[in-house]
Amino acid sequence: MSIEFSSGFAQNLKTAELRQNVKITLTALAHSAVEISLLCARGPLDTAFGALAGSENADGDSQKALDVLTDEIITAALKTVPVAYYASEEQDDLITLDTSKPLAVASDPLDGSSNIDTNVSIGTIFSIFEAKESAHASFFRPGTEQLVGGFFVYGPQTSLVITTGNGTELYVLDRADNRFKLAIAKMNIVEQAKEYAINASNFQHWTSPTRAYIEECQMGKNGALGEKQNMRWIGSLVADANRILMRGGIFLYPQDDRKGYELGRLRLLYEAAPVAFIIEQAGGLATDGTNRILDKKLETLHERIPFVFGSKNQVNRVKHHHDIKT
Ligand code: F6P
């Protein structure tokens, strides 16, 4: 297994040594992704699906929920590469691997887990930083300091979408020789689009700017937008982001008044920040409704943030509704 990195890959990183360490780390993550994609492909044939962490099957074998298993796969892989610290959605605290190493990795090992047992695309999201003097300092910083933002999608294709701040690339796993091959060298989100993605069942809980924007979308050509707006909601962030990278549109997971959703649902460190990096590098915008996601400095490890991203015309229109409210 390997990644056939493009000739320009990571050329914006400051030293050859740093580029090499990033490539080694990405290759280890790609190994994990192939293993996870095989587990996903076996679906209910595998005991990991739907089983509870720590439970046992009829033969007494231990069974693990897939999100716990994927975290173990990634942790094991990161122990073999130049990574000092690991921050995982599945772990309460930061993990120190080897303080002498130069990198720090944050990950949501299995994004879209509510779709696991429905045979819908899910994925692994990750972010790579240069390690600092402590685990805390390595992650509690703005997303602008990421070296790499990326995600794997486990769907009809197993793919890797990635940026180091030098444009966004798409690699697809070729099962014939088990190599990730460059499919799109420069992803480009169309600036003007008319497709929106939101979990509309939360309508009654939204703030007025979110309601105003979605009402405009629903009014189509009879509303302020003057055109029919299509809707898609997969419910796996990686799959919705991938669609927007391919054909434009907007994704919203805003704050709402349900308990626990005051800052939306998605986590800043290993969901919003890496996806925002990828989206901006493909020419899109990523905000919390008003402010740029990448400027937000992490304050608590698993903190959430309202997340709005996609084509410029649509993200700017959401901002307009927030601006006129304040
Ligand atoms: O945990 C993250 C996630 O599964 C995302 O992948 C997805 O965008 C979101 O949650 C779906 O949330 P909901 O089930 O509230 O629509």
Side-chain angles (χ1 to χ4, degrees):
M1 203 301 305
S2 62
I3 305 173
E4 293 181 2
F5 289 107
S6 68
S7 55
F9 181 77
Q11 284 306 322
N12 62 315
L13 299 187
K14 58 186 183 214
T15 63
E17 191 184 357
L18 187 58
R19 277 197 291 282
Q20 189 56 15
N21 285 330
V22 161
K23 284 184 177 178
I24 291 168
T25 303
L26 288 173
T27 303
L29 287 169
H31 267 284
S32 304
V34 171
E35 195 177 334
I36 296 166
S37 75
L38 291 173
L39 284 169
C40 292
R42 282 178 55 79
L45 301 179
D46 202 284
T47 54
F49 263 70
L52 290 174
S55 68
E56 289 187 343
N57 66 16
D59 298 326
D61 298 332
S62 89
Q63 291 180 303
K64 295 202 167 147
L66 200 56
D67 40 14
V68 175
L69 195 58
T70 54
D71 188 43
E72 288 177 358
I73 291 169
I74 289 172
T75 310
L78 293 179
K79 283 182 180 164
T80 66
V81 292
V83 173
Y85 307 110
Y86 176 42
S88 166
E89 204 229 348
E90 294 298 324
Q91 304 287 338
D92 290 341
D93 300 311
L94 296 172
I95 296 176
T96 297
L97 299 172
D98 179 345
T99 54
S100 69
K101 298 292 196 285
L103 300 177
V105 174
S107 173
D108 177 356
L110 199 61
D111 167 68
S113 39
S114 66
N115 279 325
I116 287 179
D117 50 7
T118 63
N119 199 10
V120 165
S121 296
I122 50 181
T124 296
I125 311 176
F126 61 90
S127 175
I128 305 180
F129 293 89
E130 270 189 285
K132 285 193 168 179
E133 65 284 0
S134 68
H136 185 279
S138 300
F139 296 108
F140 285 62
R141 55 209 287 194
T144 46
E145 295 184 14
Q146 292 173 95
L147 292 175
V148 185
F151 61 76
F152 294 94
V153 182
Y154 313 121
Q157 303 143 25
T158 290
S159 61
L160 166 63
V161 177
I162 192 161
T163 186
T164 64
N166 192 18
T168 296
E169 297 181 332
L170 171 71
Y171 294 83
V172 173
L173 178 65
D174 186 343
R175 297 276 180 194
D177 56 6
N178 236 11
R179 293 162 80 86
F180 281 90
K181 297 180 179 170
L182 188 67
I184 302 180
K186 189 158 178 41
M187 300 193 90
N188 225 329
I189 299 177
V190 294
E191 285 192 21
Q192 303 286 324
K194 40 190 182 190
E195 191 162 75
Y196 65 104
I198 191 164
N199 184 336
S201 70
N202 300 319
F203 182 87
Q204 62 187 308
H205 301 290
W206 293 335
T207 59
S208 55
T210 304
R211 277 187 193 213
Y213 177 67
I214 298 302
E215 274 167 358
E216 275 182 356
C217 291
Q218 290 173 332
M219 289 305 291
K221 66 177 170 34
N222 298 321
L225 299 175
E227 279 183 293
K228 171 159 171 57
Q229 311 288 308
N230 192 33
M231 203 205 82
R232 287 286 182 273
W233 177 255
I234 299 172
S236 295
L237 176 60
V238 289
D240 281 308
N242 202 75
R243 184 192 60 254
I244 287 171
L245 285 155
M246 298 305 290
R247 68 176 191 214
I250 188 171
F251 172 102
L252 304 96
Y253 211 118
Q255 68 274 45
D256 64 52
D257 69 9
R258 288 174 295 161
K259 195 168 173 346
Y261 287 79
E262 297 83 358
L263 291 171
R265 173 177 177 134
L266 301 172
R267 314 285 181 156
L268 174 58
L269 176 60
Y270 39 75
E271 292 182 312
V275 171
F277 193 15
I278 285 166
I279 294 292
E280 281 199 6
Q281 286 296 315
L285 296 175
T287 73
D288 62 1
T290 310
N291 301 309
R292 188 182 178 216
I293 294 288
L294 292 181
D295 287 334
K296 175 87 171 75
K297 185 177 174 207
L298 190 76
E299 279 158 19
T300 59
L301 181 55
H302 297 288
E303 80 181 82
R304 299 174 195 269
I305 192 158
F307 196 20
V308 177
F309 68 83
S311 293
K312 283 185 175 160
N313 67 321
Q314 295 179 287
V315 177
N316 282 332
R317 186 71 188 168
V318 172
K319 180 172 173 357
H320 162 77
H321 283 291
H322 284 87
D323 289 347
I324 57 176
K325 192 192 170 245
T326 50

